[in-house]
PDB file of all heavy atoms in Angstrom:
ATOM      1  N   ALA A   8     184.835 101.434  27.086  1.00 97.00           N
ATOM      2  CA  ALA A   8     185.693 101.296  25.817  1.00 97.00           C
ATOM      3  C   ALA A   8     185.349 102.405  24.902  1.00 97.00           C
ATOM      4  O   ALA A   8     184.203 102.918  24.869  1.00 97.00           O
ATOM      5  CB  ALA A   8     185.424  99.933  25.155  1.00 97.00           C
ATOM      6  N   GLN A   9     186.315 102.792  24.065  1.00 96.00           N
ATOM      7  CA  GLN A   9     186.161 103.771  22.986  1.00 96.00           C
ATOM      8  C   GLN A   9     186.926 103.323  21.805  1.00 96.00           C
ATOM      9  O   GLN A   9     188.150 103.035  21.900  1.00 96.00           O
ATOM     10  CB  GLN A   9     186.553 105.175  23.496  1.00 96.00           C
ATOM     11  CG  GLN A   9     186.199 106.288  22.626  1.00 96.00           C
ATOM     12  CD  GLN A   9     187.132 106.559  21.316  1.00 96.00           C
ATOM     13  OE1 GLN A   9     188.314 106.344  21.442  1.00 96.00           O
ATOM     14  NE2 GLN A   9     186.488 106.891  20.326  1.00 96.00           N
ATOM     15  N   PHE A  10     186.223 103.237  20.601  1.00 92.00           N
ATOM     16  CA  PHE A  10     186.897 102.834  19.337  1.00 92.00           C
ATOM     17  C   PHE A  10     186.571 103.819  18.267  1.00 92.00           C
ATOM     18  O   PHE A  10     187.347 104.389  17.574  1.00 92.00           O
ATOM     19  CB  PHE A  10     186.581 101.443  18.982  1.00 92.00           C
ATOM     20  CG  PHE A  10     187.025 100.418  20.038  1.00 92.00           C
ATOM     21  CD1 PHE A  10     186.071  99.892  20.827  1.00 92.00           C
ATOM     22  CD2 PHE A  10     188.362 100.119  20.183  1.00 92.00           C
ATOM     23  CE1 PHE A  10     186.366  98.945  21.695  1.00 92.00           C
ATOM     24  CE2 PHE A  10     188.706  99.277  21.249  1.00 92.00           C
ATOM     25  CZ  PHE A  10     187.791  98.538  21.943  1.00 92.00           C
ATOM     26  N   ALA A  11     185.214 103.966  18.020  1.00 87.00           N
ATOM     27  CA  ALA A  11     184.815 104.934  16.919  1.00 87.00           C
ATOM     28  C   ALA A  11     185.282 104.628  15.603  1.00 87.00           C
ATOM     29  O   ALA A  11     185.755 105.486  14.906  1.00 87.00           O
ATOM     30  CB  ALA A  11     184.973 106.379  17.324  1.00 87.00           C
ATOM     31  N   GLU A  12     185.261 103.334  15.195  1.00 85.00           N
ATOM     32  CA  GLU A  12     185.811 102.892  13.929  1.00 85.00           C
ATOM     33  C   GLU A  12     184.768 102.361  12.952  1.00 85.00           C
ATOM     34  O   GLU A  12     185.138 102.243  11.704  1.00 85.00           O
ATOM     35  CB  GLU A  12     186.881 101.832  14.133  1.00 85.00           C
ATOM     36  CG  GLU A  12     188.086 102.246  15.015  1.00 85.00           C
ATOM     37  CD  GLU A  12     189.008 103.244  14.285  1.00 85.00           C
ATOM     38  OE1 GLU A  12     188.832 103.383  13.055  1.00 85.00           O
ATOM     39  OE2 GLU A  12     189.937 103.821  14.892  1.00 85.00           O
ATOM     40  N   VAL A  13     183.622 102.073  13.356  1.00 80.00           N
ATOM     41  CA  VAL A  13     182.601 101.458  12.454  1.00 80.00           C
ATOM     42  C   VAL A  13     182.022 102.460  11.470  1.00 80.00           C
ATOM     43  O   VAL A  13     181.834 103.627  11.870  1.00 80.00           O
ATOM     44  CB  VAL A  13     181.405 100.790  13.253  1.00 80.00           C
ATOM     45  CG1 VAL A  13     180.329 100.369  12.359  1.00 80.00           C
ATOM     46  CG2 VAL A  13     181.969  99.688  14.112  1.00 80.00           C
ATOM     47  N   GLU A  14     181.937 102.213  10.236  1.00 79.00           N
ATOM     48  CA  GLU A  14     181.413 103.039   9.217  1.00 79.00           C
ATOM     49  C   GLU A  14     180.163 103.704   9.656  1.00 79.00           C
ATOM     50  O   GLU A  14     179.264 103.048  10.114  1.00 79.00           O
ATOM     51  CB  GLU A  14     181.217 102.324   7.881  1.00 79.00           C
ATOM     52  CG  GLU A  14     180.731 103.141   6.738  1.00 79.00           C
ATOM     53  CD  GLU A  14     181.787 104.095   6.240  1.00 79.00           C
ATOM     54  OE1 GLU A  14     183.006 103.658   6.216  1.00 79.00           O
ATOM     55  OE2 GLU A  14     181.497 105.133   5.721  1.00 79.00           O
ATOM     56  N   GLY A  15     180.137 105.106   9.614  1.00 75.00           N
ATOM     57  CA  GLY A  15     179.000 105.829  10.022  1.00 75.00           C
ATOM     58  C   GLY A  15     178.944 106.134  11.464  1.00 75.00           C
ATOM     59  O   GLY A  15     177.995 106.824  11.969  1.00 75.00           O
ATOM     60  N   PHE A  16     179.837 105.607  12.192  1.00 83.00           N
ATOM     61  CA  PHE A  16     179.979 105.808  13.671  1.00 83.00           C
ATOM     62  C   PHE A  16     181.211 106.285  14.086  1.00 83.00           C
ATOM     63  O   PHE A  16     181.817 105.877  15.162  1.00 83.00           O
ATOM     64  CB  PHE A  16     179.473 104.520  14.445  1.00 83.00           C
ATOM     65  CG  PHE A  16     178.023 104.135  14.200  1.00 83.00           C
ATOM     66  CD1 PHE A  16     177.738 103.281  13.157  1.00 83.00           C
ATOM     67  CD2 PHE A  16     177.088 104.687  14.963  1.00 83.00           C
ATOM     68  CE1 PHE A  16     176.460 102.921  12.893  1.00 83.00           C
ATOM     69  CE2 PHE A  16     175.731 104.266  14.755  1.00 83.00           C
ATOM     70  CZ  PHE A  16     175.372 103.478  13.743  1.00 83.00           C
ATOM     71  N   ALA A  17     181.940 107.065  13.325  1.00 88.00           N
ATOM     72  CA  ALA A  17     183.245 107.559  13.659  1.00 88.00           C
ATOM     73  C   ALA A  17     183.221 108.681  14.660  1.00 88.00           C
ATOM     74  O   ALA A  17     184.269 109.075  15.233  1.00 88.00           O
ATOM     75  CB  ALA A  17     183.959 108.118  12.383  1.00 88.00           C
ATOM     76  N   HIS A  18     182.036 109.181  15.047  1.00 93.00           N
ATOM     77  CA  HIS A  18     181.934 110.176  16.043  1.00 93.00           C
ATOM     78  C   HIS A  18     182.302 109.541  17.360  1.00 93.00           C
ATOM     79  O   HIS A  18     181.938 108.411  17.716  1.00 93.00           O
ATOM     80  CB  HIS A  18     180.343 110.504  16.050  1.00 93.00           C
ATOM     81  CG  HIS A  18     179.977 111.698  16.898  1.00 93.00           C
ATOM     82  ND1 HIS A  18     179.484 112.778  16.500  1.00 93.00           N
ATOM     83  CD2 HIS A  18     180.060 111.825  18.392  1.00 93.00           C
ATOM     84  CE1 HIS A  18     179.197 113.596  17.474  1.00 93.00           C
ATOM     85  NE2 HIS A  18     179.523 113.038  18.624  1.00 93.00           N
ATOM     86  N   VAL A  19     183.233 110.172  18.081  1.00 96.00           N
ATOM     87  CA  VAL A  19     183.733 109.650  19.385  1.00 96.00           C
ATOM     88  C   VAL A  19     182.584 109.240  20.232  1.00 96.00           C
ATOM     89  O   VAL A  19     181.552 110.004  20.354  1.00 96.00           O
ATOM     90  CB  VAL A  19     184.601 110.614  20.076  1.00 96.00           C
ATOM     91  CG1 VAL A  19     184.814 110.226  21.516  1.00 96.00           C
ATOM     92  CG2 VAL A  19     185.964 110.730  19.385  1.00 96.00           C
ATOM     93  N   HIS A  20     182.579 108.078  20.835  1.00 96.00           N
ATOM     94  CA  HIS A  20     181.631 107.652  21.806  1.00 96.00           C
ATOM     95  C   HIS A  20     182.241 106.561  22.695  1.00 96.00           C
ATOM     96  O   HIS A  20     183.153 105.845  22.299  1.00 96.00           O
ATOM     97  CB  HIS A  20     180.375 107.025  21.125  1.00 96.00           C
ATOM     98  CG  HIS A  20     180.643 105.929  20.138  1.00 96.00           C
ATOM     99  ND1 HIS A  20     181.095 106.074  18.840  1.00 96.00           N
ATOM    100  CD2 HIS A  20     180.391 104.604  20.281  1.00 96.00           C
ATOM    101  CE1 HIS A  20     181.240 105.021  18.246  1.00 96.00           C
ATOM    102  NE2 HIS A  20     180.874 103.973  19.102  1.00 96.00           N
ATOM    103  N   PHE A  21     181.739 106.596  23.945  1.00 98.00           N
ATOM    104  CA  PHE A  21     182.327 105.714  24.928  1.00 98.00           C
ATOM    105  C   PHE A  21     181.266 104.682  25.291  1.00 98.00           C
ATOM    106  O   PHE A  21     180.153 105.049  25.665  1.00 98.00           O
ATOM    107  CB  PHE A  21     182.696 106.425  26.202  1.00 98.00           C
ATOM    108  CG  PHE A  21     183.900 107.412  26.017  1.00 98.00           C
ATOM    109  CD1 PHE A  21     183.638 108.728  25.413  1.00 98.00           C
ATOM    110  CD2 PHE A  21     185.184 106.967  26.110  1.00 98.00           C
ATOM    111  CE1 PHE A  21     184.785 109.598  25.212  1.00 98.00           C
ATOM    112  CE2 PHE A  21     186.218 107.825  25.875  1.00 98.00           C
ATOM    113  CZ  PHE A  21     185.950 109.158  25.367  1.00 98.00           C
ATOM    114  N   HIS A  22     181.604 103.407  25.179  1.00 97.00           N
ATOM    115  CA  HIS A  22     180.641 102.250  25.639  1.00 97.00           C
ATOM    116  C   HIS A  22     180.831 102.157  27.111  1.00 97.00           C
ATOM    117  O   HIS A  22     182.024 102.011  27.540  1.00 97.00           O
ATOM    118  CB  HIS A  22     180.991 101.059  24.826  1.00 97.00           C
ATOM    119  CG  HIS A  22     180.814 101.048  23.408  1.00 97.00           C
ATOM    120  ND1 HIS A  22     179.619 100.813  22.803  1.00 97.00           N
ATOM    121  CD2 HIS A  22     181.740 101.411  22.374  1.00 97.00           C
ATOM    122  CE1 HIS A  22     179.731 100.986  21.566  1.00 97.00           C
ATOM    123  NE2 HIS A  22     180.993 101.389  21.169  1.00 97.00           N
ATOM    124  N   VAL A  23     179.752 102.059  27.871  1.00 98.00           N
ATOM    125  CA  VAL A  23     179.771 101.768  29.296  1.00 98.00           C
ATOM    126  C   VAL A  23     178.844 100.713  29.459  1.00 98.00           C
ATOM    127  O   VAL A  23     177.674 100.782  29.333  1.00 98.00           O
ATOM    128  CB  VAL A  23     179.346 103.082  30.111  1.00 98.00           C
ATOM    129  CG1 VAL A  23     179.485 102.790  31.633  1.00 98.00           C
ATOM    130  CG2 VAL A  23     180.160 104.379  29.729  1.00 98.00           C
ATOM    131  N   MET A  24     179.534  99.524  29.782  1.00 98.00           N
ATOM    132  CA  MET A  24     178.724  98.237  29.715  1.00 98.00           C
ATOM    133  C   MET A  24     178.725  97.586  31.150  1.00 98.00           C
ATOM    134  O   MET A  24     179.812  97.607  31.742  1.00 98.00           O
ATOM    135  CB  MET A  24     179.434  97.224  28.781  1.00 98.00           C
ATOM    136  CG  MET A  24     179.559  97.836  27.407  1.00 98.00           C
ATOM    137  SD  MET A  24     181.009  97.062  26.413  1.00 98.00           S
ATOM    138  CE  MET A  24     182.327  98.082  27.102  1.00 98.00           C
ATOM    139  N   PRO A  25     177.543  97.234  31.583  1.00 98.00           N
ATOM    140  CA  PRO A  25     177.453  96.567  32.957  1.00 98.00           C
ATOM    141  C   PRO A  25     178.003  95.163  32.824  1.00 98.00           C
ATOM    142  O   PRO A  25     177.664  94.362  31.848  1.00 98.00           O
ATOM    143  CB  PRO A  25     175.914  96.503  33.199  1.00 98.00           C
ATOM    144  CG  PRO A  25     175.291  96.570  31.836  1.00 98.00           C
ATOM    145  CD  PRO A  25     176.177  97.381  30.901  1.00 98.00           C
ATOM    146  N   ARG A  26     178.871  94.811  33.797  1.00 98.00           N
ATOM    147  CA  ARG A  26     179.428  93.435  33.852  1.00 98.00           C
ATOM    148  C   ARG A  26     178.664  92.829  34.924  1.00 98.00           C
ATOM    149  O   ARG A  26     178.879  92.991  36.188  1.00 98.00           O
ATOM    150  CB  ARG A  26     180.947  93.441  34.076  1.00 98.00           C
ATOM    151  CG  ARG A  26     181.684  92.305  33.608  1.00 98.00           C
ATOM    152  CD  ARG A  26     181.281  90.969  34.021  1.00 98.00           C
ATOM    153  NE  ARG A  26     182.501  90.407  34.767  1.00 98.00           N
ATOM    154  CZ  ARG A  26     182.451  89.667  35.857  1.00 98.00           C
ATOM    155  NH1 ARG A  26     181.230  89.283  36.384  1.00 98.00           N
ATOM    156  NH2 ARG A  26     183.464  89.139  36.412  1.00 98.00           N
ATOM    157  N   MET A  27     177.734  91.892  34.607  1.00 98.00           N
ATOM    158  CA  MET A  27     176.959  91.177  35.521  1.00 98.00           C
ATOM    159  C   MET A  27     177.733  90.058  36.146  1.00 98.00           C
ATOM    160  O   MET A  27     178.590  89.521  35.570  1.00 98.00           O
ATOM    161  CB  MET A  27     175.599  90.702  34.969  1.00 98.00           C
ATOM    162  CG  MET A  27     174.799  91.741  34.198  1.00 98.00           C
ATOM    163  SD  MET A  27     174.371  93.129  35.220  1.00 98.00           S
ATOM    164  CE  MET A  27     173.205  92.433  36.364  1.00 98.00           C
ATOM    165  N   ALA A  28     177.353  89.677  37.317  1.00 97.00           N
ATOM    166  CA  ALA A  28     178.057  88.529  37.992  1.00 97.00           C
ATOM    167  C   ALA A  28     177.950  87.270  37.215  1.00 97.00           C
ATOM    168  O   ALA A  28     178.869  86.435  37.128  1.00 97.00           O
ATOM    169  CB  ALA A  28     177.521  88.375  39.388  1.00 97.00           C
ATOM    170  N   ASN A  29     176.866  87.103  36.588  1.00 97.00           N
ATOM    171  CA  ASN A  29     176.583  85.807  35.779  1.00 97.00           C
ATOM    172  C   ASN A  29     177.035  85.879  34.404  1.00 97.00           C
ATOM    173  O   ASN A  29     176.738  84.941  33.578  1.00 97.00           O
ATOM    174  CB  ASN A  29     175.152  85.359  35.927  1.00 97.00           C
ATOM    175  CG  ASN A  29     174.133  86.368  35.257  1.00 97.00           C
ATOM    176  OD1 ASN A  29     174.604  87.447  34.887  1.00 97.00           O
ATOM    177  ND2 ASN A  29     172.948  86.026  35.112  1.00 97.00           N
ATOM    178  N   LEU A  30     177.690  86.930  34.014  1.00 97.00           N
ATOM    179  CA  LEU A  30     178.227  86.995  32.505  1.00 97.00           C
ATOM    180  C   LEU A  30     179.196  85.800  32.280  1.00 97.00           C
ATOM    181  O   LEU A  30     180.034  85.609  33.008  1.00 97.00           O
ATOM    182  CB  LEU A  30     178.934  88.312  32.247  1.00 97.00           C
ATOM    183  CG  LEU A  30     179.385  88.517  30.792  1.00 97.00           C
ATOM    184  CD1 LEU A  30     178.130  88.681  29.868  1.00 97.00           C
ATOM    185  CD2 LEU A  30     180.146  89.791  30.660  1.00 97.00           C
ATOM    186  N   SER A  31     178.937  85.034  31.252  1.00 96.00           N
ATOM    187  CA  SER A  31     179.761  83.844  30.956  1.00 96.00           C
ATOM    188  C   SER A  31     181.190  84.327  30.721  1.00 96.00           C
ATOM    189  O   SER A  31     181.559  85.401  30.268  1.00 96.00           O
ATOM    190  CB  SER A  31     179.222  83.095  29.736  1.00 96.00           C
ATOM    191  OG  SER A  31     179.466  83.839  28.597  1.00 96.00           O
ATOM    192  N   GLN A  32     182.083  83.326  31.163  1.00 97.00           N
ATOM    193  CA  GLN A  32     183.514  83.679  31.044  1.00 97.00           C
ATOM    194  C   GLN A  32     183.926  84.033  29.643  1.00 97.00           C
ATOM    195  O   GLN A  32     184.757  84.740  29.402  1.00 97.00           O
ATOM    196  CB  GLN A  32     184.200  82.369  31.515  1.00 97.00           C
ATOM    197  CG  GLN A  32     185.704  82.587  31.977  1.00 97.00           C
ATOM    198  CD  GLN A  32     185.846  83.389  33.168  1.00 97.00           C
ATOM    199  OE1 GLN A  32     184.991  83.520  34.070  1.00 97.00           O
ATOM    200  NE2 GLN A  32     186.916  84.181  33.193  1.00 97.00           N
ATOM    201  N   GLU A  33     183.218  83.371  28.650  1.00 97.00           N
ATOM    202  CA  GLU A  33     183.551  83.561  27.238  1.00 97.00           C
ATOM    203  C   GLU A  33     183.289  84.942  26.760  1.00 97.00           C
ATOM    204  O   GLU A  33     183.675  85.377  25.714  1.00 97.00           O
ATOM    205  CB  GLU A  33     182.859  82.550  26.320  1.00 97.00           C
ATOM    206  CG  GLU A  33     183.075  81.101  26.632  1.00 97.00           C
ATOM    207  CD  GLU A  33     182.494  80.490  27.832  1.00 97.00           C
ATOM    208  OE1 GLU A  33     181.332  80.957  28.217  1.00 97.00           O
ATOM    209  OE2 GLU A  33     183.060  79.623  28.495  1.00 97.00           O
ATOM    210  N   LEU A  34     182.405  85.720  27.481  1.00 97.00           N
ATOM    211  CA  LEU A  34     182.058  87.045  27.114  1.00 97.00           C
ATOM    212  C   LEU A  34     182.654  88.206  28.000  1.00 97.00           C
ATOM    213  O   LEU A  34     182.306  89.337  27.862  1.00 97.00           O
ATOM    214  CB  LEU A  34     180.552  87.216  27.081  1.00 97.00           C
ATOM    215  CG  LEU A  34     179.834  86.399  25.977  1.00 97.00           C
ATOM    216  CD1 LEU A  34     178.310  86.453  26.234  1.00 97.00           C
ATOM    217  CD2 LEU A  34     180.258  86.898  24.670  1.00 97.00           C
ATOM    218  N   ARG A  35     183.556  87.810  28.837  1.00 97.00           N
ATOM    219  CA  ARG A  35     184.194  88.820  29.754  1.00 97.00           C
ATOM    220  C   ARG A  35     185.326  89.488  29.044  1.00 97.00           C
ATOM    221  O   ARG A  35     185.884  89.018  28.145  1.00 97.00           O
ATOM    222  CB  ARG A  35     184.581  88.131  31.032  1.00 97.00           C
ATOM    223  CG  ARG A  35     183.402  87.661  31.885  1.00 97.00           C
ATOM    224  CD  ARG A  35     183.855  87.122  33.210  1.00 97.00           C
ATOM    225  NE  ARG A  35     182.665  86.610  33.833  1.00 97.00           N
ATOM    226  CZ  ARG A  35     182.657  85.983  35.063  1.00 97.00           C
ATOM    227  NH1 ARG A  35     183.742  85.909  35.754  1.00 97.00           N
ATOM    228  NH2 ARG A  35     181.586  85.506  35.596  1.00 97.00           N
ATOM    229  N   GLY A  36     185.529  90.681  29.632  1.00 96.00           N
ATOM    230  CA  GLY A  36     186.601  91.555  29.044  1.00 96.00           C
ATOM    231  C   GLY A  36     186.198  92.005  27.710  1.00 96.00           C
ATOM    232  O   GLY A  36     185.048  92.207  27.342  1.00 96.00           O
ATOM    233  N   PRO A  37     187.205  92.096  26.783  1.00 96.00           N
ATOM    234  CA  PRO A  37     186.927  92.663  25.466  1.00 96.00           C
ATOM    235  C   PRO A  37     186.028  91.799  24.621  1.00 96.00           C
ATOM    236  O   PRO A  37     185.372  92.343  23.672  1.00 96.00           O
ATOM    237  CB  PRO A  37     188.312  92.758  24.713  1.00 96.00           C
ATOM    238  CG  PRO A  37     189.200  91.930  25.485  1.00 96.00           C
ATOM    239  CD  PRO A  37     188.676  91.807  26.965  1.00 96.00           C
ATOM    240  N   ARG A  38     185.902  90.598  24.937  1.00 97.00           N
ATOM    241  CA  ARG A  38     184.931  89.670  24.280  1.00 97.00           C
ATOM    242  C   ARG A  38     183.435  90.044  24.521  1.00 97.00           C
ATOM    243  O   ARG A  38     182.597  89.601  23.701  1.00 97.00           O
ATOM    244  CB  ARG A  38     185.081  88.222  24.690  1.00 97.00           C
ATOM    245  CG  ARG A  38     186.462  87.710  24.264  1.00 97.00           C
ATOM    246  CD  ARG A  38     186.713  86.244  24.614  1.00 97.00           C
ATOM    247  NE  ARG A  38     186.571  85.972  26.079  1.00 97.00           N
ATOM    248  CZ  ARG A  38     187.487  85.977  26.926  1.00 97.00           C
ATOM    249  NH1 ARG A  38     188.804  86.221  26.608  1.00 97.00           N
ATOM    250  NH2 ARG A  38     187.275  85.769  28.243  1.00 97.00           N
ATOM    251  N   VAL A  39     183.166  90.964  25.439  1.00 97.00           N
ATOM    252  CA  VAL A  39     181.797  91.486  25.647  1.00 97.00           C
ATOM    253  C   VAL A  39     181.290  92.176  24.403  1.00 97.00           C
ATOM    254  O   VAL A  39     180.077  92.242  24.135  1.00 97.00           O
ATOM    255  CB  VAL A  39     181.664  92.450  26.881  1.00 97.00           C
ATOM    256  CG1 VAL A  39     182.340  93.760  26.591  1.00 97.00           C
ATOM    257  CG2 VAL A  39     180.288  92.565  27.367  1.00 97.00           C
ATOM    258  N   LEU A  40     182.261  92.723  23.582  1.00 96.00           N
ATOM    259  CA  LEU A  40     181.836  93.265  22.296  1.00 96.00           C
ATOM    260  C   LEU A  40     181.057  92.338  21.349  1.00 96.00           C
ATOM    261  O   LEU A  40     180.369  92.849  20.435  1.00 96.00           O
ATOM    262  CB  LEU A  40     183.056  93.847  21.590  1.00 96.00           C
ATOM    263  CG  LEU A  40     183.767  95.035  22.397  1.00 96.00           C
ATOM    264  CD1 LEU A  40     185.089  95.372  21.660  1.00 96.00           C
ATOM    265  CD2 LEU A  40     182.825  96.245  22.443  1.00 96.00           C
ATOM    266  N   GLU A  41     181.150  91.111  21.623  1.00 96.00           N
ATOM    267  CA  GLU A  41     180.408  90.091  20.777  1.00 96.00           C
ATOM    268  C   GLU A  41     178.863  90.233  21.060  1.00 96.00           C
ATOM    269  O   GLU A  41     178.118  89.820  20.201  1.00 96.00           O
ATOM    270  CB  GLU A  41     180.821  88.655  21.112  1.00 96.00           C
ATOM    271  CG  GLU A  41     182.237  88.354  20.733  1.00 96.00           C
ATOM    272  CD  GLU A  41     182.706  86.970  21.180  1.00 96.00           C
ATOM    273  OE1 GLU A  41     181.827  86.116  21.312  1.00 96.00           O
ATOM    274  OE2 GLU A  41     183.941  86.793  21.334  1.00 96.00           O
ATOM    275  N   LEU A  42     178.508  90.945  22.069  1.00 97.00           N
ATOM    276  CA  LEU A  42     177.088  91.195  22.373  1.00 97.00           C
ATOM    277  C   LEU A  42     176.480  92.383  21.595  1.00 97.00           C
ATOM    278  O   LEU A  42     175.348  92.724  21.708  1.00 97.00           O
ATOM    279  CB  LEU A  42     176.826  91.277  23.875  1.00 97.00           C
ATOM    280  CG  LEU A  42     177.105  90.056  24.665  1.00 97.00           C
ATOM    281  CD1 LEU A  42     177.074  90.372  26.171  1.00 97.00           C
ATOM    282  CD2 LEU A  42     176.120  88.939  24.294  1.00 97.00           C
ATOM    283  N   LEU A  43     177.351  93.092  20.935  1.00 93.00           N
ATOM    284  CA  LEU A  43     176.914  94.223  20.097  1.00 93.00           C
ATOM    285  C   LEU A  43     176.683  93.801  18.697  1.00 93.00           C
ATOM    286  O   LEU A  43     177.251  92.845  18.190  1.00 93.00           O
ATOM    287  CB  LEU A  43     177.963  95.309  20.121  1.00 93.00           C
ATOM    288  CG  LEU A  43     177.614  96.779  19.758  1.00 93.00           C
ATOM    289  CD1 LEU A  43     176.447  97.293  20.568  1.00 93.00           C
ATOM    290  CD2 LEU A  43     178.830  97.637  19.867  1.00 93.00           C
ATOM    291  N   ARG A  44     175.819  94.473  17.975  1.00 87.00           N
ATOM    292  CA  ARG A  44     175.462  94.260  16.560  1.00 87.00           C
ATOM    293  C   ARG A  44     174.823  92.828  16.382  1.00 87.00           C
ATOM    294  O   ARG A  44     175.200  92.053  15.581  1.00 87.00           O
ATOM    295  CB  ARG A  44     176.625  94.516  15.579  1.00 87.00           C
ATOM    296  CG  ARG A  44     176.961  95.990  15.621  1.00 87.00           C
ATOM    297  CD  ARG A  44     177.885  96.311  14.438  1.00 87.00           C
ATOM    298  NE  ARG A  44     179.105  95.460  14.308  1.00 87.00           N
ATOM    299  CZ  ARG A  44     180.248  95.631  14.815  1.00 87.00           C
ATOM    300  NH1 ARG A  44     180.385  96.609  15.581  1.00 87.00           N
ATOM    301  NH2 ARG A  44     181.144  94.700  14.618  1.00 87.00           N
ATOM    302  N   ARG A  45     173.952  92.498  17.332  1.00 91.00           N
ATOM    303  CA  ARG A  45     173.418  91.173  17.367  1.00 91.00           C
ATOM    304  C   ARG A  45     172.168  91.150  16.451  1.00 91.00           C
ATOM    305  O   ARG A  45     171.479  92.222  16.216  1.00 91.00           O
ATOM    306  CB  ARG A  45     172.949  90.751  18.791  1.00 91.00           C
ATOM    307  CG  ARG A  45     174.065  90.656  19.780  1.00 91.00           C
ATOM    308  CD  ARG A  45     175.100  89.711  19.348  1.00 91.00           C
ATOM    309  NE  ARG A  45     174.726  88.464  19.801  1.00 91.00           N
ATOM    310  CZ  ARG A  45     175.633  87.476  20.020  1.00 91.00           C
ATOM    311  NH1 ARG A  45     176.891  87.724  19.833  1.00 91.00           N
ATOM    312  NH2 ARG A  45     175.283  86.270  20.460  1.00 91.00           N
ATOM    313  N   PRO A  46     171.680  89.993  15.921  1.00 93.00           N
ATOM    314  CA  PRO A  46     170.499  89.955  15.125  1.00 93.00           C
ATOM    315  C   PRO A  46     169.339  90.342  15.976  1.00 93.00           C
ATOM    316  O   PRO A  46     169.292  90.246  17.216  1.00 93.00           O
ATOM    317  CB  PRO A  46     170.428  88.386  14.780  1.00 93.00           C
ATOM    318  CG  PRO A  46     171.813  87.873  15.080  1.00 93.00           C
ATOM    319  CD  PRO A  46     172.390  88.674  16.073  1.00 93.00           C
ATOM    320  N   ALA A  47     168.266  90.832  15.337  1.00 93.00           N
ATOM    321  CA  ALA A  47     167.080  91.391  16.006  1.00 93.00           C
ATOM    322  C   ALA A  47     166.542  90.500  17.148  1.00 93.00           C
ATOM    323  O   ALA A  47     166.195  90.931  18.188  1.00 93.00           O
ATOM    324  CB  ALA A  47     166.008  91.792  15.049  1.00 93.00           C
ATOM    325  N   GLN A  48     166.490  89.217  16.913  1.00 96.00           N
ATOM    326  CA  GLN A  48     165.826  88.223  17.843  1.00 96.00           C
ATOM    327  C   GLN A  48     166.699  88.077  19.042  1.00 96.00           C
ATOM    328  O   GLN A  48     166.216  87.639  20.042  1.00 96.00           O
ATOM    329  CB  GLN A  48     165.537  86.910  17.176  1.00 96.00           C
ATOM    330  CG  GLN A  48     166.742  86.104  16.670  1.00 96.00           C
ATOM    331  CD  GLN A  48     167.203  86.443  15.335  1.00 96.00           C
ATOM    332  OE1 GLN A  48     166.904  87.483  14.814  1.00 96.00           O
ATOM    333  NE2 GLN A  48     168.036  85.530  14.760  1.00 96.00           N
TER     334      GLN A  48
END
C-alpha cells in the first residue's frame, strides 16, 4: 500500500506487510492498517 498522507510522513513510501495465515479475518485487507500506530505495549 502507498498513501503518504500522515503529517510529517508525506514522503512517498510503500508499506509491504506480511499476511500471515493466522491473521484474524477482522484485520485482513485494508483493515491491516489498524495494526499501525499502536500503543507501545
Side-chain angles (χ1 to χ4, degrees):
Q9 191 279 324
F10 302 104
E12 296 288 350
V13 174
E14 182 71 30
F16 295 89
H18 189 114
V19 163
H20 56 283
F21 296 86
H22 296 271
V23 183
M24 304 152 278
R26 208 299 242 146
M27 305 305 290
N29 65 350
L30 185 66
S31 71
Q32 201 65 32
E33 297 79 31
L34 292 172
R35 291 186 185 179
R38 294 182 305 268
V39 73
L40 294 172
E41 294 175 26
L42 294 174
L43 196 58
R44 294 192 313 268
R45 301 301 274 205
Q48 66 274 18

